C-alpha cells in the first residue's frame, strides 16, 4: 500500500536551452527523481487530458550558465574555484508561484528536500534553461512518485536464558549480543535480557560459538511481532507513511464493499422478479 501513497514529482520538462554534455532525456530523468517537499494533500491529481492549473501543477524554472571565475586562485585545479556554477544542483530549481499557490504554500515554499543533489556538471559557455512541471502521482505508476527510499521488516528477536550464567562469565556473555540487550545486576552479577532493547539485537548468534554457554540460552524470533523500518524520501515524515498507507487500504476496502453490496442488491432484485421462460 505504501506504493500507492500519493506524492509529488516532476512529470514534464520543457527544455529551452541545454548545451551541456548531458542529453535532454537523461537530464529529464534525473530531474524527475528529485524528491520534493510538497505536501500532496494540498494538490489534486492531474488527469491525462486535464490542463495544468494552480491546483494540480507546480512549476519550477532552471536558468544557469557556467562562467570562469575571475577571482580564481592562481594554479588551482579545483572546478569549484575555477568556475562559477560548475554544477547544476537541485537547489537551482526555482519555484514559480501561480494563482493561489503563494498563499497555499506560504509556510513551506515548494523545493527539493535535498538542495545538494548534483544533476549535471558544467563548464564555461554551457547553459541550461528549462521549465519543469511537478504533479501528483503514485509509486505504482512510476518509481519517482514513491515516497519511500527503503522499507523493510524483520521479526522481533527472542532470547531466553535457560539456566543462570556464572558471574565470572557475565561480561563475556553480554558482549555476545548487541549493546544494551543484556543487563548485568551490579550487586548480584545476575544476567537478564532487557525486554525493551532486545529489538536492537543483530541476531549474530555469537553466543553459540562458545562451549561454556552451551544449553544456557535459546535464540528464536517472535513469529507474529514485526519490526518495520521505513525511510522517507518525500514530504512525508516516516511516522506518517504507515497511517497514510492504511488510509489507502481502507479506501480500497470501502470501494470493494460498495461494489459487493451493489452486486448483492442487483442479484436480490433479479431473484424477486419474474423469471423469463423460453418460447415453447
Amino acid at each position: 500500500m505504501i506504493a500507492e501513497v500519493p506524492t509529488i514529482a516532476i512529470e514534464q520538462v520543457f527544455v529551452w536551452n541545454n548545451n551541456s554534455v548531458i542529453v535532454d532525456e537523461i537530464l529529464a530523468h534525473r530531474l524527475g527523481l528529485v524528491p520534493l517537499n510538497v505536501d500532496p494533500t494540498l494538490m489534486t491529481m492531474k488527469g491525462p487530458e486535464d490542463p495544468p492549473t494552480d491546483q494540480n501543477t507546480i512549476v519550477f524554472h532552471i536558468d544557469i550558465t557556467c562562467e570562469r571565475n575571475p577571482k580564481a586562485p592562481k594554479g588551482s585545479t579545483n572546478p569549484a574555484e575555477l568556475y562559477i556554477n560548475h554544477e547544476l544542483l537541485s537547489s537551482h530549481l526555482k519555484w514559480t508561484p501561480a494563482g493561489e499557490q503563494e498563499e497555499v504554500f506560504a509556510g513551506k515554499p515548494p523545493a527539493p528536500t535535498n538542495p545538494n543533489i548534483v544533476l549535471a556538471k558544467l563548464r564555461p559557455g554551457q547553459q541550461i534553461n528549462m521549465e519543469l512541471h511537478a504533479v501528483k502521482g503514485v509509486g505504482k505508476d512510476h518509481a519517482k512518485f514513491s515516497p519511500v527510499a527503503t522499507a523493510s521488516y524483520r521479526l522481533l528477536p527472542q532470547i531466553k536464558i535457560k539456566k543462570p550464567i556464572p558471574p565470572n562469565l557475565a561480561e563475556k556473555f553480554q558482549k555476545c549480543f548487541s549493546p544494551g540487550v543484556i543487563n548485568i545486576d551490579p550487586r548480584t552479577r545476575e544476567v537478564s535480557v532487557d525486554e525493551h532493547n532486545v529489538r536492537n539485537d543483530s541476531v549474530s548468534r555469537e553466543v553459540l560459538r562458545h562451549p561454556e554457554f552451551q544449553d544456557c540460552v535459546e535464540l528464536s524470533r517472535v513469529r507474529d511481532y514485526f519490526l518495520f523500518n521505513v525511510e522517507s524520501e518525500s514530504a512525508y515524515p516516516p511516522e506518517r507513511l504507515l497511517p497514510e498507507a492504511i488510509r489507502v487500504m481502507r479506501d480500497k476496502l470501502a470501494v470493494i464493499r460498495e461494489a459487493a453490496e451493489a452486486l448483492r442488491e442487483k442479484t436480490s432484485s433479479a431473484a424477486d422478479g419474474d423469471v423469463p421462460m423460453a418460447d415453447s
Side-chain angles (χ1 to χ4, degrees), residues 114-126:
N114 184 347
N116 298 315
I117 301 174
V118 178
L119 301 170
K121 292 183 179 293
L122 304 176
R123 290 299 179 263
Q126 295 181 343

Side-chain angles (χ1 to χ4, degrees), residues 8-278:
I8 309 299
I10 294 171
E11 176 73 8
Q12 290 182 307
V13 177
F14 301 92
V15 181
W16 311 131
N17 186 15
N18 175 25
N19 61 355
S20 66
V21 296
I22 298 184
V23 297
D24 296 348
E25 293 81 0
I26 301 299
L27 183 55
H29 176 71
R30 294 173 67 89
L31 288 165
L33 295 177
V34 173
L36 303 175
N37 67 352
V38 183
D39 188 345
T41 60
L42 301 177
M43 293 184 62
T44 60
M45 198 78 74
K46 180 178 178 293
E49 304 299 328
D50 294 341
T53 68
D54 62 328
Q55 297 183 358
N56 62 25
T57 303
I58 293 179
V59 178
F60 294 92
H61 283 91
I62 294 177
D63 190 2
I64 179 175
T65 302
C66 181
E67 302 174 344
R68 294 189 180 276
N69 182 9
K71 300 180 180 179
K74 187 175 181 180
S76 175
T77 58
N78 184 359
E81 297 177 342
L82 291 174
Y83 313 122
I84 300 173
N85 294 330
H86 74 292
E87 290 178 335
L88 170 62
L89 302 174
S90 52
S91 59
H92 288 111
L93 275 71
K94 302 302 180 183
W95 170 50
T96 304
E100 299 179 353
Q101 289 182 351
E102 202 159 12
E103 299 177 6
V104 173
F105 300 107
K108 191 176 183 180
T113 58
N114 184 347
N116 298 315
I117 301 174
V118 178
L119 301 170
K121 292 183 179 293
L122 304 176
R123 290 299 179 263
Q126 295 181 343
Q127 180 185 16
I128 295 178
N129 185 1
M130 55 181 58
E131 181 177 311
L132 318 172
H133 287 192
V135 299
K136 186 175 180 178
V138 293
K140 71 174 184 178
D141 294 333
H142 195 284
K144 66 185 177 183
F145 291 112
S146 177
V148 175
T150 304
S152 62
Y153 76 89
R154 61 189 179 96
L155 296 174
L156 178 69
Q158 189 172 41
I159 303 170
K160 293 182 179 180
I161 299 177
K162 300 171 65 177
K163 58 183 182 181
I165 306 299
N168 61 314
L169 297 176
E171 281 83 2
K172 183 175 182 179
F173 184 83
Q174 185 184 51
K175 292 178 180 179
C176 291
F177 300 89
S178 300
V181 174
I182 300 298
N183 293 330
I184 301 176
D185 189 292
R187 185 176 60 86
T188 63
R189 308 295 294 168
E190 181 182 359
V191 173
S192 62
V193 179
D194 190 307
E195 296 298 331
H196 178 72
N197 289 328
V198 69
R199 65 177 58 210
N200 297 328
D201 188 49
S202 61
V203 198
S204 65
R205 309 179 75 84
E206 170 67 18
V207 68
L208 301 181
R209 295 181 59 248
H210 304 281
E212 57 267 37
F213 299 133
Q214 186 176 1
D215 300 327
C216 289
V217 63
E218 178 183 330
L219 305 180
S220 61
R221 293 177 176 85
V222 182
R223 296 299 173 182
D224 59 352
Y225 197 123
F226 299 90
L227 301 174
F228 285 89
N229 183 55
V230 179
E231 298 178 10
S232 174
E233 273 293 337
S234 66
Y236 294 103
E239 60 272 14
R240 183 181 163 193
L241 280 171
L242 184 58
E244 287 292 331
I246 293 174
R247 183 189 59 79
V248 171
M249 183 172 62
R250 285 179 172 173
D251 290 344
K252 286 181 173 292
L253 291 174
V255 172
I256 294 174
R257 172 180 287 182
E258 184 178 347
E261 290 176 350
L263 180 61
R264 183 176 62 180
E265 292 177 3
K266 183 178 179 181
T267 305
S268 177
S269 300
D272 294 339
D274 294 336
V275 178
M277 303 295 290

